[in-house]
Amino acid sequence: MNTGSPHPPSPAWEDLVTAALLGTDRRTPPGTPPGRNAPSALLDAAAAETVRRRAGLRPGPAAPRPRPAPEDPRPPLPTAAARRLALLLADRPGTAQGGRRGTAPDLIELLPQWLTAVNDRGFAAPPESLPALLDAARARTDLRPAALRFAGPRAPWLARLNPDWRFALRASPGGGMALPGPEETRRVEQLWQEGLFAERVSLLAAIRSRDPDAARELLEATWSTERAEDRLMFLDSLRTGLGPRDEPFLEQALADRSRNVRATAAELLSALPQSALAARMAVRAGACVAVDHTVDTPTLLVEAPHECDAAMERDGVSAKPPSGRGERSWWLGQLVEAAPLAGWSARLGRRTPEQIVALPVADDWLGELHAAWCRAAVRQRDADWSRALLGPPSAPGAGGPGAVSLAERAKLLGTLPSAERAEWVAGFIAAHGLSEAFQLLGVCAVPWAAPLGRSVVDALNIARDAGSYPWSFSGVMGLAERCLDPSEAARLDALLAVPDEPEDASPGAGGYWAEAFQRLCRTLRLRAAMTAELDVRDAGPCGA
């Protein structure tokens, strides 16, 4: 140590921080006398220490230069479409003020639809747009699949350079490396044995989509050594391509030590109508429901299970009901939900689904029985039973004979062909208005079919003429902006002016409706322009 130095060593940074926190009246830094000048001396010492600390930093070793970004072989995005993408990405949610957004289209809500359209056409993302695209996908998880598909092979390359974009690595098996091909068994085995969990999930899903048997065999090879939470995720991937050849493995999973794994295996087996589990469930459920022919009108009699035995639990029946549910009704619902729907006709007098659903049910079991049939129709993707449970869209009370909630009806509609789905919802709106239609509209294919689009516009016009505030229909209006066919814009021209308000109308409602329809019309025309921009081929530099 050089003790002859004319300058004393600078006080430690911790001493300066302590003096600042306690105050110079109670403590002064080393080498600083107390008094009126102590605060200034403390600040001077802190400034000098800051300079010393910064100047004393040593440069770190030079990192290797990153490897070049991979090439994207897809065709470049047309120039006009690239400019449109920049505008969509520049918009940010939360910029609207209050419930009145004016007449400007909500660009951020059009981005998902634009990404779907551009991916359908197979264009490459402009390199300069990738940071903003990944930022948008980071903020909205619903954008990630489409955004990463559009970003292509450069997304994981960028994700290695910015921790905020690590989700792109999790979505790309091997950190952005190309997936092993069917013949690359060694690479598949290495990634399956050594990859991160997210990489293994993605790998299994990719193999399952092209070769279900190979994916199942890969999973079987390491099943006994996987963690319970991992087994659950891996098992869930078998929903893709589920078939009879999966049954032996799923039967084995029914004995898994994890309750969640057992429940998932049972659910998958119940979706296979010819499985042994489905047959066991059919016997159990059939023993609970019968037709009483001793009364004037044939009636369904229900005798719910009196116990949940070990065999039922092994087949996925949960013994403990949720709070507020009775045990017997809870067990009955699970049995009926898992039983093949095709077997009920033979069990109940060769009746059709419509005839079965129309039968009265004794002792207030109708709601429980029909709700279980609803869940079974959704799980088994049975359109005939879904139609029977939905009933006609004009049914009183806005519900079918078996649909117990709007959410249940929406799920049943999801099993029907898209054209039939749109026709049913259009009939529902015509009979009951828009007040309960929001969830149902959400399951209809985009763009909405012409009858559905006309039904929505007509219902909005009726609400407008009634003088109601448009805020009650803001959700439906937002869906219309994204889902109406752009060709419907011409039909809206007559609704753009401020209407004459009836005496009992809400004050100012006419002006709000005019703005809402103007925004809808402008959004539809913008969507038409966006589609046209994607269909113009050029060799602009923006995609190079």
Coordinates of all heavy atoms in Angstrom, one line a residue, residues 222-267:
T222 N -40.1 -43.2 -23.2 CA -39.6 -42.5 -22.1 C -40.7 -42.2 -21.0 O -40.5 -41.5 -20.1 CB -39.0 -41.2 -22.5 OG1 -40.0 -40.4 -23.1 CG2 -37.8 -41.4 -23.4
W223 N -41.9 -42.8 -21.3 CA -43.0 -42.5 -20.4 C -42.8 -42.6 -18.9 O -43.1 -41.8 -18.1 CB -44.2 -43.3 -20.9 CG -45.5 -43.0 -20.1 CD1 -46.0 -43.8 -19.2 CD2 -46.4 -41.9 -20.2 NE1 -47.2 -43.3 -18.7 CE2 -47.4 -42.1 -19.3 CE3 -46.4 -40.8 -21.0 CZ2 -48.5 -41.2 -19.2 CZ3 -47.4 -39.9 -20.9 CH2 -48.4 -40.1 -20.0
S224 N -42.2 -43.8 -18.6 CA -42.0 -44.1 -17.2 C -41.0 -43.2 -16.5 O -41.0 -43.1 -15.2 CB -41.6 -45.5 -17.0 OG -40.3 -45.7 -17.6
T225 N -40.2 -42.5 -17.2 CA -39.2 -41.6 -16.6 C -39.6 -40.1 -16.6 O -38.9 -39.3 -16.0 CB -37.8 -41.7 -17.3 OG1 -38.0 -41.3 -18.7 CG2 -37.4 -43.2 -17.3
E226 N -40.7 -39.8 -17.2 CA -41.1 -38.4 -17.3 C -41.8 -37.9 -16.0 O -42.4 -38.7 -15.3 CB -42.1 -38.2 -18.4 CG -41.6 -38.7 -19.8 CD -40.6 -37.8 -20.4 OE1 -40.3 -36.7 -19.8 OE2 -40.0 -38.1 -21.4
R227 N -41.7 -36.6 -15.7 CA -42.4 -36.0 -14.6 C -43.9 -36.0 -14.8 O -44.3 -35.9 -16.0 CB -41.9 -34.6 -14.3 CG -40.4 -34.5 -14.0 CD -40.0 -33.1 -13.7 NE -40.4 -32.2 -14.8 CZ -40.5 -30.8 -14.7 NH1 -40.1 -30.2 -13.6 NH2 -40.8 -30.1 -15.7
A228 N -44.6 -36.0 -13.7 CA -46.1 -36.0 -13.9 C -46.6 -34.9 -14.7 O -47.5 -35.0 -15.6 CB -46.8 -36.1 -12.5
E229 N -46.1 -33.6 -14.4 CA -46.7 -32.5 -15.2 C -46.3 -32.5 -16.6 O -47.0 -32.1 -17.5 CB -46.2 -31.2 -14.5 CG -44.7 -31.0 -14.4 CD -44.1 -31.5 -13.1 OE1 -44.7 -32.5 -12.5 OE2 -43.1 -31.0 -12.6
D230 N -45.1 -33.2 -16.9 CA -44.7 -33.3 -18.3 C -45.5 -34.4 -19.0 O -45.9 -34.2 -20.2 CB -43.2 -33.7 -18.4 CG -42.3 -32.6 -17.9 OD1 -42.8 -31.5 -17.6 OD2 -41.1 -32.8 -17.7
R231 N -45.8 -35.5 -18.3 CA -46.6 -36.5 -18.9 C -48.0 -36.0 -19.3 O -48.5 -36.4 -20.3 CB -46.8 -37.7 -17.9 CG -45.6 -38.5 -17.6 CD -45.8 -39.8 -17.0 NE -46.7 -39.8 -15.8 CZ -46.2 -39.6 -14.5 NH1 -44.9 -39.3 -14.3 NH2 -47.0 -39.6 -13.5
L232 N -48.5 -35.1 -18.5 CA -49.8 -34.5 -18.8 C -49.8 -33.7 -20.1 O -50.7 -33.9 -20.9 CB -50.3 -33.6 -17.6 CG -51.7 -33.0 -17.8 CD1 -52.8 -34.0 -17.9 CD2 -51.9 -32.0 -16.6
M233 N -48.8 -32.9 -20.3 CA -48.6 -32.1 -21.5 C -48.4 -33.0 -22.7 O -49.0 -32.8 -23.8 CB -47.5 -31.1 -21.4 CG -47.8 -30.0 -20.4 SD -49.1 -28.9 -21.0 CE -48.2 -28.1 -22.4
F234 N -47.6 -34.0 -22.5 CA -47.3 -34.9 -23.6 C -48.5 -35.7 -24.0 O -48.8 -35.9 -25.2 CB -46.2 -35.9 -23.3 CG -44.8 -35.3 -23.1 CD1 -43.9 -35.7 -22.1 CD2 -44.4 -34.3 -23.9 CE1 -42.7 -35.2 -22.0 CE2 -43.2 -33.7 -23.8 CZ -42.3 -34.1 -22.8
L235 N -49.3 -36.2 -23.0 CA -50.5 -36.9 -23.3 C -51.5 -36.1 -24.1 O -52.2 -36.5 -25.0 CB -51.1 -37.4 -22.0 CG -52.2 -38.5 -22.1 CD1 -51.6 -39.8 -22.7 CD2 -52.8 -38.8 -20.7
D236 N -51.6 -34.8 -23.7 CA -52.5 -33.9 -24.4 C -52.2 -33.8 -25.9 O -53.2 -33.5 -26.7 CB -52.5 -32.5 -23.7 CG -53.7 -31.7 -24.0 OD1 -54.8 -32.1 -23.6 OD2 -53.5 -30.6 -24.7
S237 N -51.0 -34.0 -26.3 CA -50.7 -33.9 -27.7 C -51.3 -35.0 -28.5 O -51.4 -34.9 -29.7 CB -49.1 -33.9 -27.9 OG -48.6 -35.1 -27.6
L238 N -51.7 -36.0 -27.9 CA -52.3 -37.2 -28.6 C -53.7 -36.9 -29.1 O -54.3 -37.7 -29.8 CB -52.4 -38.4 -27.7 CG -51.0 -39.0 -27.2 CD1 -51.2 -40.3 -26.5 CD2 -50.0 -39.1 -28.4
R239 N -54.3 -35.7 -28.7 CA -55.6 -35.3 -29.3 C -55.5 -35.2 -30.8 O -56.5 -35.5 -31.5 CB -56.1 -34.0 -28.7 CG -56.3 -34.0 -27.2 CD -56.8 -32.7 -26.6 NE -56.7 -32.7 -25.2 CZ -57.7 -33.2 -24.4 NH1 -58.8 -33.7 -25.0 NH2 -57.6 -33.1 -23.1
T240 N -54.4 -34.8 -31.3 CA -54.2 -34.7 -32.7 C -54.0 -36.1 -33.3 O -53.2 -36.9 -32.8 CB -52.9 -33.9 -33.1 OG1 -53.1 -32.5 -32.5 CG2 -52.7 -33.8 -34.6
G241 N -54.8 -36.5 -34.2 CA -54.7 -37.8 -34.9 C -55.2 -38.9 -34.0 O -54.7 -40.1 -34.2
L242 N -56.0 -38.6 -32.9 CA -56.4 -39.7 -32.0 C -57.1 -40.8 -32.8 O -58.0 -40.6 -33.6 CB -57.3 -39.1 -30.9 CG -57.8 -40.0 -29.8 CD1 -56.7 -40.5 -29.0 CD2 -58.9 -39.3 -29.0
G243 N -56.7 -42.1 -32.5 CA -57.3 -43.2 -33.2 C -57.3 -44.4 -32.3 O -56.7 -44.5 -31.3
P244 N -57.9 -45.5 -32.9 CA -57.9 -46.8 -32.1 C -56.6 -47.4 -31.7 O -56.4 -48.0 -30.7 CB -58.7 -47.7 -33.1 CG -59.5 -46.8 -34.0 CD -58.6 -45.6 -34.1
R245 N -55.5 -47.1 -32.5 CA -54.2 -47.6 -32.3 C -53.6 -47.0 -31.0 O -52.6 -47.5 -30.5 CB -53.3 -47.4 -33.5 CG -53.7 -48.1 -34.7 CD -53.0 -47.6 -35.9 NE -51.6 -48.0 -35.9 CZ -51.1 -49.1 -36.5 NH1 -52.0 -50.0 -37.1 NH2 -49.8 -49.4 -36.5
D246 N -54.2 -45.9 -30.5 CA -53.7 -45.2 -29.3 C -54.3 -45.9 -28.0 O -53.8 -45.6 -26.9 CB -54.0 -43.7 -29.3 CG -53.4 -43.0 -30.4 OD1 -52.2 -43.2 -30.6 OD2 -54.1 -42.2 -31.0
E247 N -55.3 -46.7 -28.2 CA -56.0 -47.3 -27.1 C -55.1 -48.0 -26.1 O -55.2 -47.8 -24.8 CB -57.2 -48.1 -27.5 CG -58.0 -48.6 -26.3 CD -59.2 -49.5 -26.7 OE1 -59.4 -49.6 -28.0 OE2 -59.9 -49.9 -25.8
P248 N -54.3 -49.0 -26.5 CA -53.5 -49.7 -25.5 C -52.6 -48.8 -24.6 O -52.5 -49.0 -23.4 CB -52.6 -50.6 -26.4 CG -53.4 -50.8 -27.6 CD -54.1 -49.5 -27.9
F249 N -52.0 -47.8 -25.2 CA -51.2 -46.8 -24.4 C -52.1 -46.0 -23.5 O -51.7 -45.8 -22.3 CB -50.4 -45.9 -25.4 CG -49.7 -44.8 -24.7 CD1 -48.6 -45.1 -23.8 CD2 -50.0 -43.5 -24.8 CE1 -47.9 -44.1 -23.2 CE2 -49.4 -42.5 -24.1 CZ -48.3 -42.8 -23.3
L250 N -53.2 -45.6 -23.9 CA -54.1 -44.8 -23.1 C -54.7 -45.7 -21.9 O -54.9 -45.2 -20.8 CB -55.2 -44.2 -23.9 CG -54.8 -43.1 -24.9 CD1 -56.0 -42.7 -25.8 CD2 -54.2 -41.9 -24.2
E251 N -55.0 -46.9 -22.2 CA -55.4 -47.8 -21.1 C -54.3 -48.0 -20.1 O -54.6 -48.0 -18.9 CB -55.8 -49.2 -21.7 CG -57.2 -49.3 -22.3 CD -58.2 -49.4 -21.2 OE1 -57.9 -49.7 -20.1 OE2 -59.4 -49.1 -21.5
Q252 N -53.1 -48.0 -20.5 CA -52.0 -48.1 -19.6 C -51.9 -46.8 -18.7 O -51.7 -46.9 -17.5 CB -50.7 -48.3 -20.3 CG -49.4 -48.2 -19.5 CD -48.1 -48.1 -20.3 OE1 -48.2 -48.4 -21.5 NE2 -47.1 -47.7 -19.7
A253 N -52.2 -45.7 -19.4 CA -52.1 -44.4 -18.6 C -53.3 -44.3 -17.6 O -53.2 -43.4 -16.7 CB -52.2 -43.2 -19.6
L254 N -54.3 -45.1 -17.7 CA -55.4 -45.0 -16.7 C -54.9 -45.5 -15.3 O -55.5 -45.2 -14.3 CB -56.5 -46.0 -17.1 CG -57.4 -45.5 -18.3 CD1 -58.4 -46.6 -18.6 CD2 -58.1 -44.2 -18.0
A255 N -53.8 -46.2 -15.3 CA -53.2 -46.6 -14.0 C -52.1 -45.6 -13.5 O -51.3 -45.9 -12.6 CB -52.7 -48.0 -14.1
D256 N -51.9 -44.5 -14.2 CA -50.9 -43.5 -13.8 C -51.0 -43.1 -12.4 O -52.1 -43.0 -11.9 CB -50.9 -42.4 -14.8 CG -49.6 -41.5 -14.8 OD1 -48.7 -41.9 -15.5 OD2 -49.6 -40.6 -14.0
R257 N -49.9 -42.7 -11.8 CA -50.0 -42.2 -10.4 C -50.5 -40.8 -10.3 O -50.9 -40.4 -9.2 CB -48.6 -42.3 -9.8 CG -47.5 -41.5 -10.5 CD -46.1 -41.8 -9.9 NE -45.0 -41.1 -10.6 CZ -44.4 -41.6 -11.6 NH1 -44.7 -42.8 -12.1 NH2 -43.4 -40.9 -12.2
S258 N -50.6 -40.1 -11.4 CA -51.1 -38.7 -11.4 C -52.6 -38.7 -11.7 O -53.0 -39.3 -12.8 CB -50.4 -37.8 -12.4 OG -51.1 -36.6 -12.6
R259 N -53.4 -38.1 -10.9 CA -54.9 -38.0 -11.1 C -55.2 -37.3 -12.4 O -56.1 -37.7 -13.1 CB -55.6 -37.4 -9.9 CG -57.1 -37.3 -10.1 CD -57.7 -36.7 -8.8 NE -57.2 -35.4 -8.6 CZ -57.8 -34.3 -9.1 NH1 -58.8 -34.4 -10.0 NH2 -57.3 -33.1 -8.9
N260 N -54.5 -36.2 -12.7 CA -54.7 -35.4 -13.9 C -54.4 -36.2 -15.1 O -55.1 -36.1 -16.2 CB -53.9 -34.1 -13.9 CG -54.4 -33.2 -12.8 OD1 -55.6 -33.2 -12.5 ND2 -53.6 -32.3 -12.3
V261 N -53.3 -37.0 -15.1 CA -53.0 -37.8 -16.2 C -54.0 -38.9 -16.5 O -54.5 -39.1 -17.6 CB -51.6 -38.5 -16.0 CG1 -51.3 -39.5 -17.1 CG2 -50.5 -37.4 -16.0
R262 N -54.5 -39.5 -15.4 CA -55.6 -40.5 -15.5 C -56.8 -39.9 -16.1 O -57.5 -40.5 -17.0 CB -55.9 -41.1 -14.1 CG -54.8 -41.9 -13.5 CD -55.3 -42.8 -12.3 NE -55.9 -42.0 -11.3 CZ -55.3 -41.5 -10.2 NH1 -54.0 -41.6 -10.1 NH2 -56.0 -40.8 -9.3
A263 N -57.2 -38.7 -15.6 CA -58.4 -38.1 -16.1 C -58.3 -37.7 -17.6 O -59.2 -37.9 -18.4 CB -58.7 -36.8 -15.3
T264 N -57.1 -37.3 -18.1 CA -56.9 -36.9 -19.5 C -57.0 -38.2 -20.3 O -57.5 -38.2 -21.4 CB -55.6 -36.2 -19.7 OG1 -55.6 -35.0 -18.9 CG2 -55.4 -35.9 -21.1
A265 N -56.3 -39.3 -19.8 CA -56.4 -40.5 -20.6 C -57.8 -41.0 -20.7 O -58.2 -41.5 -21.8 CB -55.5 -41.6 -19.9
A266 N -58.6 -40.9 -19.7 CA -60.0 -41.4 -19.7 C -60.8 -40.5 -20.7 O -61.6 -41.0 -21.5 CB -60.6 -41.3 -18.3
E267 N -60.5 -39.2 -20.7 CA -61.2 -38.3 -21.6 C -60.9 -38.7 -23.1 O -61.8 -38.7 -23.9 CB -60.8 -36.9 -21.4 CG -61.5 -35.9 -22.3 CD -61.0 -34.4 -22.1 OE1 -60.3 -34.2 -21.1 OE2 -61.3 -33.6 -23.0

